[in-house]
Amino acid sequence: MDERTHDNLKAQSTNPDLAAVLSGELLCWSCKYDLTGLSVTSQCPECGTPVRATLLAIVDPEATSFKPLRSPVYSAIGLVTWSGAALIAIFCVLLLRVSDLSFELFSMSESMRHFGVLVPVLTGLSGLGALAFIRPHNAVRAWVSIRSIAAVLLYAPLVWLLWNLHVRFDVIYGAPYFGDPINVRERVVRRIGIGLLVLVIALLLRPGVREFAKRSVLLRTGQLSRQTVLALASAVLITLVGDLVHFSSLRWPVMQSVIVDTIWMAFVVIGSAMILIGFIGMFIDSLRLFPVLIKGPKSLRDVIRKEALDGPE
Ligand SMILES: [Zn+2]
């Protein structure tokens, strides 16, 4: 039976009695209309997008080469938690700085600063999500698992440092970017520690992230541009350089000048903006991967069947 199906597939263009139609649930790539039962050579009745365009976007020619995930739901939820919690943590830091600004400009309440507790809590949640990278399927190479385990362990000192900075230091000393707290050397040292840990964690998790990303034919083939971990790591590196210049100017006062202050501030601001953009991209990629991980990549055979032209077999 399977051989006959295969022959039929091969004879698709030559046998006039059979037509390839869509089986199972296949939604139009453009408007999500259910295309079940339509011929592969037709168009979406709702929006006119050729069915072939949907097939190209959804069918993965390498679908059968991927090892099945041990737990598709756990992997998908882990990935979205990892990137989503990290993104919200970064938004919290951004909100804290905006609230500092409104406090300075409009004498608004300082109570916002207590929301700083969300930063380490959400980072810890992101670390729990990262557990999904350790062993998504049984054929994961050992060094990918080991790197992921090391990354998850490094979340512990990262959460501790973030707690120290956002829950204790900034609450005791006040708004860092207005006045002296920014120039307290201990604060810069904490920032450098946080930057280094984020950088190392990102590089350690890189192969684990790719393990998931390659399962989407659109991300793998570049039909959708993908946020790379390496780009994110270089953004972290830029803020680190800024913090190191800042630290040096505090350590050796001879370096202190408006020019040096401008340089480190520029590195920190540009790097932070790039980190924010990077995490937004990472979160969007996770959402795109979510259905691919849960349902598994689709092969051509999963979505089409052969039918006699005068009706179902
Ligand atoms: Zn459509």
Side-chain angles (χ1 to χ4, degrees):
M1 181 57 202
D2 197 46
E3 269 190 356
R4 277 195 57 193
T5 314
H6 188 70
D7 289 343
N8 285 344
L9 277 171
K10 279 210 290 194
Q12 183 186 338
S13 52
T14 51
N15 188 342
D17 298 330
L18 289 167
V21 299
L22 300 168
S23 64
E25 186 188 271
L26 193 70
L27 304 181
C28 170
W29 178 244
S30 172
C31 73
K32 307 292 177 210
Y33 181 82
D34 187 357
L35 301 171
T36 308
L38 291 173
S39 158
V40 292
T41 56
S42 63
Q43 283 111 36
C44 169
E46 277 295 310
C47 71
T49 304
V51 170
R52 260 191 244 104
T54 296
L55 285 176
L56 275 176
I58 287 165
V59 170
D60 188 343
E62 290 174 34
T64 48
S65 70
F66 294 117
K67 293 278 178 291
L69 295 170
R70 293 167 74 213
S71 168
V73 174
Y74 173 71
S75 287
I77 291 175
L79 184 68
V80 170
T81 306
W82 168 71
S83 61
L87 178 61
I88 302 172
I90 288 170
F91 266 114
C92 284
V93 176
L94 192 71
L95 276 178
L96 286 169
R97 296 294 84 89
V98 170
S99 80
D100 287 348
L101 186 69
S102 35
F103 173 69
E104 286 299 314
L105 295 180
F106 317 110
S107 308
M108 276 172 63
S109 157
E110 233 183 338
S111 61
M112 270 294 283
R113 208 163 290 146
H114 296 287
F115 286 102
V117 69
L118 286 173
V119 180
V121 169
L122 286 162
T123 305
L125 188 63
S126 171
L128 287 179
L131 289 168
F133 295 115
I134 293 176
R135 201 166 162 75
H137 57 81
N138 289 326
V140 177
R141 282 158 297 167
W143 68 275
V144 176
S145 293
I146 293 167
R147 283 173 65 148
S148 301
I149 291 169
V152 170
L153 292 176
L154 284 177
Y155 268 87
L158 177 62
V159 168
W160 180 78
L161 272 178
L162 287 169
W163 183 277
N164 211 285
L165 185 71
H166 291 287
V167 183
R168 299 188 54 208
F169 197 92
D170 280 358
V171 172
I172 296 167
Y173 282 78
Y177 286 84
F178 298 94
D180 283 337
I182 190 78
N183 288 324
V184 175
R185 216 191 285 170
E186 285 80 33
R187 190 178 194 281
V188 187
V189 171
R190 282 172 177 81
R191 276 188 58 97
I192 292 172
I194 289 165
L196 278 174
L197 281 168
V198 173
L199 183 67
V200 174
I201 289 172
L203 293 176
L204 284 173
L205 284 181
R206 187 166 169 246
V209 174
R210 289 162 70 106
E211 200 68 43
F212 284 132
K214 72 181 183 191
R215 285 174 182 257
S216 158
V217 62
L218 294 176
L219 293 178
R220 187 178 70 234
T221 57
Q223 293 177 69
L224 288 175
S225 65
R226 182 165 87 84
Q227 171 61 46
T228 65
V229 176
L230 223 47
L232 190 62
S234 31
V236 176
L237 198 60
I238 289 171
T239 59
L240 253 178
V241 170
D243 282 329
L244 285 170
V245 172
H246 187 198
F247 178 81
S248 309
S249 75
L250 295 175
R251 178 78 179 71
W252 296 286
V254 67
M255 274 179 70
Q256 280 169 18
S257 71
V258 177
I259 297 170
V260 172
D261 280 353
T262 310
I263 291 173
W264 74 253
M265 193 73 99
F267 271 87
V268 168
V269 169
I270 293 168
S272 303
M274 285 171 64
I275 291 172
L276 178 64
I277 293 166
F279 270 97
I280 291 173
M282 205 65 95
F283 182 58
I284 292 171
D285 286 352
S286 303
L287 292 180
R288 283 166 170 166
L289 275 165
F290 192 84
V292 179
L293 296 184
I294 288 199
K295 293 178 190 163
K298 283 183 158 59
S299 71
L300 194 59
R301 280 200 191 176
D302 293 334
V303 295
I304 68 170
R305 65 167 187 263
K306 305 298 286 187
E307 268 182 12
L309 276 180
D310 50 344
E313 286 177 77

